[in-house]
């Protein structure tokens, strides 16, 4: 790593915070380049200079000897890249092949299945607020119908599955999703479960999802436990001054 520099293009209130936590756990030096959302809660145009989609997280791997750089987008891809290339001592990677596959599953599942449901609920929350005056009631009814028939049941089905998985882990004496130590599975699941849901009670209430702590007690315990991880706390402290706005859903 001595000839490599990692730049994290970090956007406030986004999934990019998990990359900071991952780097802290792996002990990889990095530079944090901060971007702030605008008043409409959108990412600034400057991020498009790094990647055409203008989204975060994005990291740059810079070779300090040659000056060449590589741009790596997408949370799951970033996690996979860093774990493959920079976790040779198995800080987060399991040594057991089956557990390694489990972690890889969660990297794909979190971004490909769980998160899209939550993003849809977020977008629908904005739709109710941003609809033209006089149509907000109808828009509210429309998105409520869609959410109640599809996105909320689907989200709860996912949470029931995760609650069952972590219950089995708790029964084995582990507080983590895979094996008996912190892995990238816990890190990548932290944002949707903790930030989007268990720490966002207002949003959960507005979408009519019920009391998650009662419905999914094992997942609630995991969320409480994972929030106490020292390097997550450190990562959050590094950016706390930028986390000043949250989506109105």
């Amino acid at each position: 790593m001595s000839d490599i520099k990692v730049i994290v293009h970090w956007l406030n209130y986004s999934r990019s915070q998990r990359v900071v936590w991952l780097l802290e756990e792996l002990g990889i030096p990095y530079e944090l380049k901060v971007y702030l959302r605008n008043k409409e809660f959108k990412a600034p145009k400057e991020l498009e200079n790094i990647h055409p989609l203008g989204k975060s997280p994005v990291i740059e791997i810079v070779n300090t000897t040659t000056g060449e750089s590589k741009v790596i987008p997408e949370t799951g891809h970033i996690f996979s890249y860093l774990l493959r290339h920079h976790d040779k001592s198995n800080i987060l990677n399991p040594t057991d092949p089956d557990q390694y596959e489990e972690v890889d599953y969660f990297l794909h599942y979190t971004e490909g299945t769980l998160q899209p449901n939550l993003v849809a609920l977020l977008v629908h929350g904005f739709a109710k607020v941003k609809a033209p005056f006089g149509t907000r009631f109808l828009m509210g009814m429309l998105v409520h119908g869609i959410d109640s028939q599809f996105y909320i049941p689907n989200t709860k089905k996912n949470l029931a599955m995760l609650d069952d998985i972590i219950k089995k882990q708790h029964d084995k004496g582990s507080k983590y999703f895979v094996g008996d130590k912190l892995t990238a599975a816990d890190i990548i699941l932290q944002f949707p479960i903790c930030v989007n849901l268990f720490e966002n009670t207002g949003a959960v209430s507005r979408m009519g999802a019920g009391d998650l702590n009662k419905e999914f007690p094992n997942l609630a315990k995991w969320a409480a436990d994972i929030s106490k991880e020292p390097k997550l706390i450190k990562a959050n402290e590094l950016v706390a001054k930028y986390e000043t706005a949250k989506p109105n859903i």
Side-chain angles (χ1 to χ4, degrees), residues 16 90 174 214:
S16 57
N90 298 101
S174 174
K214 290 182 179 178

Side-chain angles (χ1 to χ4, degrees), residues 176-220:
Y176 302 111
F177 262 97
V178 178
D180 58 2
K181 70 172 186 177
L182 180 75
T183 68
D186 302 287
I187 296 175
I188 203 165
L189 282 165
Q190 184 267 342
F191 184 83
I193 295 175
C194 297
V195 178
N196 283 162
L197 294 170
F198 284 94
E199 295 173 10
N200 197 356
T201 53
V204 171
S205 175
R206 284 190 290 277
M207 74 182 191
D211 188 336
L212 298 184
N213 290 281
K214 290 182 179 178
E215 280 197 72
F216 311 108
N218 302 288
L219 204 51

Side-chain angles (χ1 to χ4, degrees), residues 5-11 14-24 28-35 47 50 55-62 70 72 78 82 239:
K5 174 183 178 183
V6 178
I7 303 173
V8 181
H9 295 275
W10 182 93
L11 177 67
S14 77
R15 288 174 257 178
S16 57
Q17 185 58 9
R18 292 173 297 180
V19 175
V20 179
W21 181 16
L22 182 73
L23 290 166
E24 287 289 339
I28 300 173
Y30 61 92
E31 174 188 332
L32 200 64
K33 187 165 184 181
V34 174
Y35 301 80
L47 265 173
I50 310 303
K55 293 184 177 182
S56 177
V58 177
I59 65 170
E60 280 185 86
I61 307 294
V62 182
K70 179 186 300 184
I72 303 174
I78 292 169
L82 291 173
V239 299

Side-chain angles (χ1 to χ4, degrees), residues 45-175:
K45 286 285 187 181
E46 288 81 2
L47 265 173
E48 294 180 13
N49 297 329
I50 310 303
H51 187 272
L53 294 181
K55 293 184 177 182
S56 177
V58 177
I59 65 170
E60 280 185 86
I61 307 294
V62 182
N63 186 312
T64 55
T65 302
T66 65
E68 295 178 347
S69 67
K70 179 186 300 184
V71 173
I72 303 174
E74 298 293 341
T75 306
H77 180 43
I78 292 169
F79 271 53
S80 178
Y81 178 90
L82 291 173
L83 291 168
R84 279 186 287 113
H85 293 280
H86 302 298
D87 190 17
K88 303 301 184 182
S89 56
N90 298 101
I91 297 170
L92 293 173
N93 279 325
T95 55
D96 180 275
D98 291 336
Q99 291 180 6
Y100 185 92
E101 293 299 328
E102 286 182 60
V103 171
D104 190 54
Y105 162 74
F106 280 114
L107 297 185
H108 292 279
Y109 160 79
T110 303
E111 293 296 289
T113 299
L114 178 60
Q115 196 73 61
N117 281 281
L118 301 177
V119 170
L121 291 168
L122 171 67
V123 172
H124 288 174
F126 277 120
K128 289 185 241 182
V129 174
K130 296 295 184 180
F133 182 76
T135 67
R136 290 178 190 171
F137 177 74
L138 292 174
M139 179 62 76
M141 290 181 64
L142 174 65
V143 297
H144 174 72
I146 296 171
D147 291 346
S148 62
Q149 290 297 312
F150 183 76
Y151 289 112
I152 292 172
N154 225 12
T155 297
K156 293 177 83 169
K157 186 176 183 179
N158 277 266
L159 296 182
M161 180 191 78
L162 293 169
D163 191 77
D164 183 60
I165 291 171
I166 200 64
K167 179 184 184 302
K168 291 174 181 175
Q169 286 293 95
H170 288 160
D171 290 344
K172 294 177 185 176
S174 174
K175 62 180 181 179

